[in-house]
Amino acid sequence: MSDAKRTPLYDFNVAHGGRMVDFAGWEMPVQYTSIVDEHKATRAAAGLFDVSHMGEATVEGAGAEAFLNYVLTNDVSGMDDGKALYSLMCRPDGGVVDDLLVYRKAAGSYLLCLNASNVDKDLAWLAKEAAAFDVNLEDVSDSFGLIALQGPKAFEILAELSAADLSGLGYYRFVEGEVAGVPCLVSRTGYTGEVGVELFVPADRTAELAEALLAVGTPKGLMLAGLGARDSLRLEAGYSLYGHEIDDAVGPVEANLMWTVSLKKEGDFIGKAAILAKKAAGPDRKVIFFKTGGRRIARPGTDIVAGGEKVGTVVSGTFSPILNEAIGSALVKAAVAKSDELAVDLRGKAYPIERTRPPFLPLNPQA
Amino acid sequence: MSIPADLKYTKDHEWLKLLDGDEAIIGITDFAQNSLGDITFVEVPEVGDSFDAGESFGVVESVKAASDLYMPVDAEVLEVNEALEDSPESVNSSPYEDGWIMKIKVKDAASLEALLDAAAYEEIAKD
């Protein structure tokens, strides 16, 4: 672990009992107390997550909008200042380079938030494509800490630390402001299915803000939450994770992410032709979500079977602390994607699964 | 971390408590439950099944990982802790009491000699 990178909250995490593991080259807390307790606290009150390992890049210049609309599948042209947008960045063959958030700070000035595991690949990809546009690309990952405050008490906690009223901030909108006296970009986004925010903070002041949020939040039921709870929360919400539901060979047609692909926007974008062709012909494989009805987790790599034949592979699997059963997602042959006869093969025994349309629980992050 | 002095241990982080006669209770240690994290499922064999020492007899699963359970001694299963079916988290909260896994019949008393005492186990369970 000696070569692993440390976030601005490394000392904070260790001091608060974080069990540190290597994740995408970063020393990150997988849990502080219990994944199940941290998960439940986030659904019931609030969870505070260090997600500073995520990468950030700025895209600036007169050609920024045209550039982003060429490299991303979604349409940035309709964004106004203070708007955030989820998009895929696809390969020419329709596979996914990364999924990311775009923030429009001003005309010709955008911030991208990238998966930690993909930052280097993304920046190389973006830099290569940027050559044809009037645009400046800068990796600003080291400048920011990123804190996610998620859960029904998130805005109540923020209200105690902010002079500005943030409660009216719309879903997928952001403002630049101050929380606990620390300047930050407050984004009404998240990866848990709960109401909440993500706070982009100057790296050297991230720990100060985390301590303030923890102090105010703890009496309200807030818990520090690690990557373990982050994964079980996002899977309950049915959100895709790069390297699981999507990757360089599994794109928006397979992963039910066509809502992130704007086929109407002006001009070409990378992957458009391949995505259109796959949509027309129908994909070979589809991503499905499922419940097992039992407590045994079908972990990534587990076979999905139908009639004794392997028809797919589990790509995400965890235990839902809210449903008290194992849940997961799988990449299966398209022909069986609507079958009710699927099973997971756990240690040689087939356990029937129930296909489920995510989210697994009624969730309303826009509330 | 708790390592009760009156129990026997294995290098696989299981404990064994000798009862009267040739019966014993087995479970996993505090160190083991803490390493696994939130336990969600414990698979145990049928009453009457027999296992050799070192043989895998079941699985304990946590949110993070699945881990095989190994029989500490040559044994026959006399009783399983059925409460774990609905409350596997007892293994986390009470690894040496409510979270016991099985009652066994020790087939060969000599095999108990290979088990570790608390002091020897503590050396293995050091972080």
Side-chain angles (χ1 to χ4, degrees):
Chain A
M1 205 183 260
S2 55
D3 294 338
K5 288 181 275 190
R6 293 179 170 181
T7 75
L9 290 183
Y10 176 81
D11 291 338
F12 171 91
N13 290 328
V14 169
H16 291 285
R19 189 173 291 179
M20 308 305 282
V21 299
D22 190 331
F23 177 83
W26 292 83
E27 275 188 81
M28 298 301 293
V30 65
Q31 66 184 58
Y32 298 85
T33 51
S34 140
I35 294 173
V36 168
D37 290 351
E38 293 164 16
H39 181 116
K40 287 179 172 170
T42 305
R43 292 262 180 259
L48 186 67
F49 304 76
D50 176 15
V51 283
S52 304
H53 59 313
M54 305 281 290
E56 292 86 11
T58 53
V59 177
E60 295 182 338
E65 181 181 307
F67 168 65
L68 290 172
N69 258 1
Y70 179 66
V71 293
L72 304 181
T73 59
N74 216 334
D75 185 2
V76 304
S77 67
M79 298 173 75
D80 58 350
D81 298 350
K83 173 71 184 157
L85 182 73
Y86 176 73
S87 181
L88 303 179
M89 178 159 71
C90 278
R91 299 152 42 100
D93 65 7
V96 181
V97 178
D98 201 2
D99 62 331
L100 51 85
L101 283 180
V102 190
Y103 295 89
R104 180 172 140 147
K105 300 176 84 164
S109 176
Y110 298 84
L111 178 71
L112 306 181
C113 184
L114 312 164
N115 276 305
S117 54
N118 288 334
V119 173
D120 293 344
K121 177 183 77 172
D122 290 350
L123 284 161
W125 184 272
L126 288 163
K128 182 165 127 304
E129 300 300 336
F133 293 85
D134 178 12
V135 67
N136 283 313
L137 179 68
E138 191 181 352
D139 179 358
V140 291
S141 300
D142 292 342
S143 307
F144 287 107
L146 183 56
I147 295 172
L149 172 65
Q150 300 278 301
K153 298 266 180 81
F155 280 93
E156 189 184 318
I157 292 163
L158 274 182
E160 293 201 17
L161 293 168
S162 169
D165 179 15
L166 295 168
S167 64
L169 188 60
Y171 191 53
Y172 270 73
R173 297 206 67 87
F174 68 95
V175 290
E176 298 194 58
E178 267 191 14
V179 177
V182 178
C184 55
L185 189 156
V186 181
S187 168
R188 177 85 199 274
T189 50
Y191 199 43
T192 61
E194 294 297 327
V195 166
V197 293
E198 294 172 301
L199 304 167
F200 294 82
V201 196
D204 61 351
R205 300 198 63 185
T206 310
E208 178 188 341
L209 179 53
E211 291 287 6
L213 291 165
L214 182 63
V216 168
T218 301
K220 300 181 191 294
L222 173 143
M223 286 181 79
L224 292 173
L227 292 182
R230 181 169 160 83
D231 189 54
S232 55
L233 288 158
R234 75 90 193 166
L235 190 54
E236 269 185 356
Y239 295 152
S240 299
L241 173 61
Y242 192 87
H244 294 257
E245 287 76 19
I246 46 175
D247 62 26
D248 58 5
V250 184
V253 182
E254 292 93 337
N256 309 308
L257 289 173
M258 285 305 289
W259 63 272
T260 71
V261 180
S262 172
L263 296 170
K264 289 186 205 150
K265 68 178 171 182
E266 237 177 87
D268 194 18
F269 62 90
I270 299 175
K272 183 178 183 181
I275 291 167
L276 278 172
K278 186 167 281 184
K279 186 165 173 269
D284 296 336
R285 302 177 294 174
K286 288 287 280 185
V287 172
I288 61 163
F289 288 81
F290 64 86
K291 300 195 271 194
T292 69
R295 295 180 139 266
R296 172 165 272 182
I297 296 170
R299 297 180 196 276
T302 301
D303 286 353
I304 300 283
V305 294
E309 300 264 310
K310 178 177 173 177
V311 295
T313 305
V314 173
V315 290
S316 292
T318 194
F319 181 77
S320 162
I322 308 297
L323 299 176
N324 254 318
E325 67 177 300
I327 61 173
S329 64
L331 188 62
V332 301
K333 290 179 180 169
V336 301
K338 293 196 168 146
S339 166
D340 291 320
E341 307 294 321
L342 300 178
V344 281
D345 182 326
L346 296 172
R347 294 175 168 246
K349 192 176 165 200
Y351 294 78
I353 57 174
E354 182 190 338
R355 273 187 310 108
T356 308
R357 185 191 294 262
F360 286 92
L361 324 168
L363 294 172
N364 187 7
Q366 308 189 42
Chain B
M1 183 175 55
S2 161
I3 303 177
D6 59 332
L7 304 181
K8 298 288 186 187
Y9 298 89
T10 73
K11 62 175 175 38
D12 298 312
H13 307 286
E14 277 134 26
W15 57 263
L16 180 147
K17 180 182 195 176
L18 276 171
L19 305 175
D20 293 338
D22 56 2
E23 293 181 5
I25 302 275
I26 61 174
I28 68 167
T29 65
D30 192 27
F31 176 86
Q33 71 76 19
N34 184 52
S35 304
L36 283 163
D38 298 280
I39 290 166
T40 55
F41 180 79
V42 182
E43 182 186 69
V44 290
E46 302 280 328
V47 169
D49 286 355
S50 284
F51 296 88
D52 295 333
E55 195 178 345
S56 169
F57 69 84
V59 181
V60 55
E61 289 210 12
S62 71
V63 177
K64 282 186 289 190
S67 181
D68 281 306
L69 293 165
Y70 298 99
M71 196 62 93
V73 292
D74 294 355
E76 177 189 332
V77 179
L78 296 178
E79 188 183 342
V80 298
N81 183 356
E82 287 174 358
L84 296 184
E85 203 174 311
D86 290 327
S87 307
E89 63 275 14
S90 302
V91 178
N92 291 120
S93 57
S94 177
Y96 299 113
E97 301 288 342
D98 297 348
W100 66 278
I101 292 175
M102 299 197 303
K103 186 194 268 191
I104 58 173
K105 179 175 163 184
V106 181
K107 287 181 167 177
D108 174 11
S111 65
L112 295 168
E113 299 297 320
L115 299 178
L116 308 169
D117 63 16
Y121 177 64
E122 193 174 358
E123 288 300 309
I124 289 176
K126 272 185 181 160
D127 271 330

